[in-house]
Structures are given as C-alpha cells and as structure tokens.
Amino acid sequence: MAGAHYYLGKYCRNKRDFRNAIFHFRQVLKLSDDPARKADVEKMLSFLRKERDMSEEDRIRKSLFAGLRKKICDCLNPDSQDFRIYRDFFNRR
C-alpha cells in the first residue's frame, strides 16, 4: 500500500495539488519499511510544505526568474566567460 501512496503523492505533486500530495506522502511514512524511500519522502514533504506556504506572488516571481535564467543561458555560448558569470549568479538563487 505504501507504493500506491508514494506514486499518488508524486502524481499530486506534479499536478501542484500540494494538500493531497502531502497526505499521500505522510501515509508512505506510516506504512513503508524502506528507509531510503522514507528519506526521499521526507525531502519531498519539506519541499511541498514550502511550496504550499509560498504566496502566489512568490510563485510567479520564482517562475519568471527561472524563465529569465533559461533564456539568458540559452543565448550565451556555454564556453564563454559571460555564460559562467550568469550561470554562477543564477545558481546562487
């Protein structure tokens, strides 16, 4: 049963249904005997709680920032010094 909750949690997470994803991942923690899976689920729960508590404005800002980062890095030659400067700048965020 833990496996079903794990995959339902991942499905809900991908659909950005954080409330249901958290529910299913909590069930995994209760039902699973696999320490590696439990550690993975703990990481996902931490991320989901942050996402759930983030304001809509912050979500939009995060999305726009990621889009800007991709556009800048796509336009630059990966071997150039400018690319490394932008990459390092965006990776700090």
Side-chain angles (χ1 to χ4, degrees):
M1 216 39 196
H5 282 291
Y6 178 77
Y7 289 108
L8 282 168
K10 288 181 77 167
Y11 174 80
C12 292
R13 179 197 64 190
N14 291 341
K15 292 290 188 179
R16 303 191 60 80
D17 181 359
F18 301 129
R19 190 180 63 105
N20 283 320
I22 290 169
F23 167 79
H24 288 293
F25 286 137
R26 284 183 181 157
Q27 294 302 309
V28 173
L29 293 178
K30 289 179 188 175
L31 300 171
S32 180
D33 295 330
D34 182 359
R37 179 163 280 181
K38 284 185 173 186
D40 184 39
V41 167
E42 287 288 352
K43 289 178 189 175
M44 284 192 268
L45 279 171
S46 175
F47 168 79
L48 287 169
R49 288 182 184 119
K50 289 177 187 173
E51 285 290 312
R52 178 192 62 192
D53 297 338
M54 188 182 294
S55 72
E56 186 62 26
E57 183 179 317
D58 289 339
R59 276 194 202 98
I60 292 169
R61 187 177 297 123
K62 181 179 175 184
S63 175
L64 290 173
F65 189 75
L68 177 63
R69 171 185 170 187
K70 181 172 177 11
K71 284 184 187 259
I72 289 174
C73 290
D74 286 351
C75 292
L76 295 173
N77 177 350
D79 298 325
S80 73
Q81 179 66 26
D82 289 338
F83 176 83
R84 289 189 288 278
I85 291 169
Y86 281 112
R87 182 197 60 209
D88 293 344
F89 172 78
F90 283 115
N91 286 338
R92 286 194 312 249
R93 302 274 180 241

